[in-house]
Amino acid sequence: MASCHPFEDDAPFADKVKTLEDDELLEIWEETQQLAGLLSQQIKAELPLAPQYEQLIVAELQLRHGRRLYDRDLGK
């Protein structure tokens, strides 16, 4: 389970996602997927579990990847 606790304070997740490491973001995403799978099995229906969190995580990881590619191309 996650070693970080992104929901402990009042900071919006959209702000907090910028401060988490890549592995922490992936861990939160993975746990969200596992919870969604368990809930779907229990109620026998597919339902998105906090899709806005998933979208924020994916967008942040894409942004970081783009920055790394840009920095690499500039020789940083």
Side-chain angles (χ1 to χ4, degrees):
M1 288 293 161
S3 58
C4 62
H5 303 283
F7 305 108
E8 282 186 350
D9 57 30
D10 292 333
F13 187 73
D15 293 338
K16 191 166 255 320
V17 75
K18 293 174 173 63
T19 65
L20 297 171
E21 297 292 327
D22 290 356
D23 60 335
E24 293 172 318
L25 290 173
L26 290 170
E27 195 171 332
I28 292 168
W29 177 82
E30 180 182 11
E31 289 178 2
T32 302
Q33 296 300 308
Q34 291 172 355
L35 287 172
L38 289 172
L39 284 174
S40 294
Q41 288 175 357
Q42 291 294 319
I43 62 171
K44 307 285 191 249
E46 291 294 320
L47 62 123
L49 182 64
Q52 65 276 16
Y53 292 126
E54 184 175 357
Q55 291 170 353
L56 287 168
I57 290 169
V58 170
E60 181 64 24
L61 290 171
Q62 287 174 329
L63 177 65
R64 292 177 187 187
H65 180 70
R67 284 181 183 154
R68 282 192 287 270
L69 290 176
Y70 180 76
D71 289 346
R72 185 193 69 196
D73 289 345
L74 289 178
K76 291 184 178 181

